[in-house]
Amino acid sequence: MIRIEAVNKWFDDFHVLKDIDLTVGAGEKVVVCGPSGSGKSTLIRCINRLESHEQGLIEVDGIELTDDNKRISEIRSEVGMVFQQFNLFPHLTVLENCTLGPIRARGLSKTDARALAMEFLEKVRIPEQADKYPSQLSGGQQQRVAIARSLCMRPKIMLFDEPTSALDPEMINEVLDVMTELAESGMTMLCVTHEMGFARRVADTMVFMDHGEIVEMASPETFFSTPKSDRCKDFLEKILHH
């Protein structure tokens, strides 16, 4: 579903991604972790062209990502993205936030889009909030709306960029539970997160990044029990005994 080969990216003189190779198969769940500034978010943002890469190949579902806008929008229509900040439209209700994309981009009728939105609001367990505005919801509820909104576009791949890091601790699990269910339903997922319990439960592959490089890639069993590099060991010690 995602093929990344020899990808390099710079911000001016700062080499933010160094020779990244990564493939994500259909239905695979990949969790990317690593210290702040390791390039994790940049990597995930390159996959739907929120950032552009200078060298290498990124291919999503067989389409190569180039500067061609048509290709970019083709890829974006297959890739759902959930950010740290919920990025909901404040002036639209929860339901309107969810129906906007399907109506505009997929040409659904209002009735069909509404039915679809309610289906996914049920999935994320907040159908009763459909007519509220984002400001009337908790952070955890807003993030679940953001997930439902992405799912309404029927993406083939979901990207998560630290989706719980802006939430209060008591709201984190409600979002992770929804993500876990999504993973169990067979969705292809690439998640940047520090939530290691979640990673252990759902990941097929763990990826550890540091200083713009992929330092380690392994199954969760191997990754958590026998990390190979000192950088990875240090990171896990800090985060697991935190």
Side-chain angles (χ1 to χ4, degrees), residues 12 49 58 65 72 98-99 110 153 155 168 184 225 239:
D12 300 324
R49 205 59 169 185
I58 298 180
L65 203 45
I72 293 170
C98 291
T99 56
K110 273 206 161 127
M153 293 298 287
D168 293 332
E184 285 164 357
S225 61
I239 204 157

Side-chain angles (χ1 to χ4, degrees), residues 142-159:
Q142 290 188 58
Q143 192 59 292
R144 286 186 283 156
V145 172
I147 294 171
R149 178 182 59 177
S150 276
L151 293 174
C152 284
M153 293 298 287
R154 299 250 184 241
K156 292 185 178 172
I157 299 164
M158 285 288 283
L159 305 175

Side-chain angles (χ1 to χ4, degrees), residues 38-46 51 81 84 161-162 192:
S38 57
K40 312 178 298 284
S41 290
T42 304
L43 174 63
I44 215 165
R45 290 169 68 88
C46 283
E51 303 281 1
M81 178 118 189
Q84 270 181 1
D161 186 7
E162 303 206 23
V192 170

Side-chain angles (χ1 to χ4, degrees), residues 66-85:
T66 60
D67 288 331
D68 177 351
N69 283 333
K70 189 171 162 296
R71 284 189 177 193
I72 293 170
S73 54
E74 232 176 292
I75 285 171
R76 283 190 185 154
S77 73
E78 301 209 338
V79 176
M81 178 118 189
V82 179
F83 302 89
Q84 270 181 1
Q85 302 305 336

Side-chain angles (χ1 to χ4, degrees), residues 38-176:
S38 57
K40 312 178 298 284
S41 290
T42 304
L43 174 63
I44 215 165
R45 290 169 68 88
C46 283
I47 295 171
N48 64 353
R49 205 59 169 185
L50 291 171
E51 303 281 1
S52 56
H53 59 292
E54 277 88 21
Q55 284 176 358
L57 168 104
I58 298 180
E59 206 177 75
V60 179
D61 198 21
I63 307 165
E64 187 183 342
L65 203 45
T66 60
D67 288 331
D68 177 351
N69 283 333
K70 189 171 162 296
R71 284 189 177 193
I72 293 170
S73 54
E74 232 176 292
I75 285 171
R76 283 190 185 154
S77 73
E78 301 209 338
V79 176
M81 178 118 189
V82 179
F83 302 89
Q84 270 181 1
Q85 302 305 336
F86 323 120
N87 294 5
L88 298 169
F89 293 112
H91 62 290
L92 298 179
T93 64
V94 164
L95 191 66
E96 289 165 341
N97 264 287
C98 291
T99 56
L100 187 68
I103 291 170
R104 283 202 184 157
R106 295 264 195 258
L108 259 64
S109 70
K110 273 206 161 127
T111 316
D112 288 351
R114 199 189 161 93
L116 183 69
M118 287 313 296
E119 178 193 328
F120 285 113
L121 288 170
E122 289 276 349
K123 268 211 166 72
V124 301
R125 307 196 197 116
I126 39 174
E128 71 289 349
Q129 309 291 351
D131 296 321
K132 290 195 176 162
Y133 288 90
S135 62
Q136 297 171 290
L137 305 184
S138 71
Q141 289 171 325
Q142 290 188 58
Q143 192 59 292
R144 286 186 283 156
V145 172
I147 294 171
R149 178 182 59 177
S150 276
L151 293 174
C152 284
M153 293 298 287
R154 299 250 184 241
K156 292 185 178 172
I157 299 164
M158 285 288 283
L159 305 175
F160 292 90
D161 186 7
E162 303 206 23
T164 57
S165 64
L167 298 178
D168 293 332
E170 70 273 14
M171 292 171 195
I172 290 175
N173 281 340
E174 66 190 61
V175 173
L176 294 177

